[in-house]
Amino acid sequence: MPLLSLVFSVVLILVGVTIESESFRPPSPSRRLLSLKKEAIPPEVNLLAGMVAGSVGVGVAYPIDTLKVKTQTFLDTAAAGEKAPSPWSLAATVVKNEGVGAFYSGVSTTMFGQALIKGSVFWAYGAAQRSLELDLGVVELSAWWTFLAACLSGAFGSFLVTPFERIKCVMQAASNQVVMQAAGSNEFSSPLSCIRDVVESDGVAGLLFRGIGATLLRETPSYGLYFFAYELTKGALLEQISVDPNLAANSVFFNQLVPLVGGAAAGVVASWVPVYPIDVVKTNLQFSVDGGRRETLVSATQRIYSTGGPGAFWDGLGPKLARAVVNHATTFLVFEQIVQFCARIPE
């Protein structure tokens, strides 16, 4: 936590210096996000749509996420110099040794958790936008302030993400008996049994806050890039549809593709590639049940590097990107559909 406090202190100082600097000027209209004017989404709609969309998106993509976690935790029990298997090879091994059900270990907890997380993050993003618009006295935020609002939503969501991902990581790794024997635990029969075991071994704090530093370092910039990339892609595509006669003639069809393309771009290019090494460290901090004898963020980073070199920080990236395409394209499609449906309901 001292490292985390130092990081946030530096960030706050830099932001304060930037805003107070005489050289700072409000972003010009030309730097605004390329986006068509839209009505503000009510907070309750942001919450509801985010909850449903987050749950559906993560459920659809969950088997790919399981592959990612198994790949990331492989090096903990691998022989010196042994490399993680390819995603296809690992998937075949899982099906052969553990069955198809292993791909869905912990899915119910994760879907429930993502409903709360995504609902809260979408709500926080909308609330931050409205607050900044009022404070700045503007009708539409610039790109910089939109990014800041998204970062704030990510920081807010981190405190919900941490306990749910702790359970998810433990249960996904639990089906690998070798890994869990090394971690001092066994496969869990249900999410509740996993929660009980984690609390008994690591305490309530170990459930709620283990990996919080790495989660904040991942979620804050990740959601900043996530929403920024989606808004930018969505705005560019909608504008192109509106000015191109060929596309405009089939605007109903193409408008349905916009959230799919925007969500895929936001999930793959923007929100995961830049922060993926932090995700690897976070997974390694969270998957063990060891009575609280956990590593620090720095020591875990050093161990991963000494075991697998720089490449170890990118283990599981392929499955993660595949999951991101499916998850976030589905998430934004469902989100936009619910928002449009709610907009048609008479007040």
Side-chain angles (χ1 to χ4, degrees), residues 3 46 80 90 129 139 170 184 199 228 251 287 291 297 319-320 337:
L3 175 62
N46 260 329
L90 181 58
Q129 285 181 306
V139 176
V170 171
V199 171
F228 179 83
S251 60
F287 89 93
L297 184 65
K320 172 59 76 174
Q337 291 294 318

Side-chain angles (χ1 to χ4, degrees), residues 75 276-277 280 301-315:
L75 287 176
Y276 191 77
V280 173
T301 303
Q302 292 173 335
R303 175 181 58 77
I304 294 169
Y305 180 82
S306 63
T307 303
F313 292 100
W314 301 98
D315 281 342

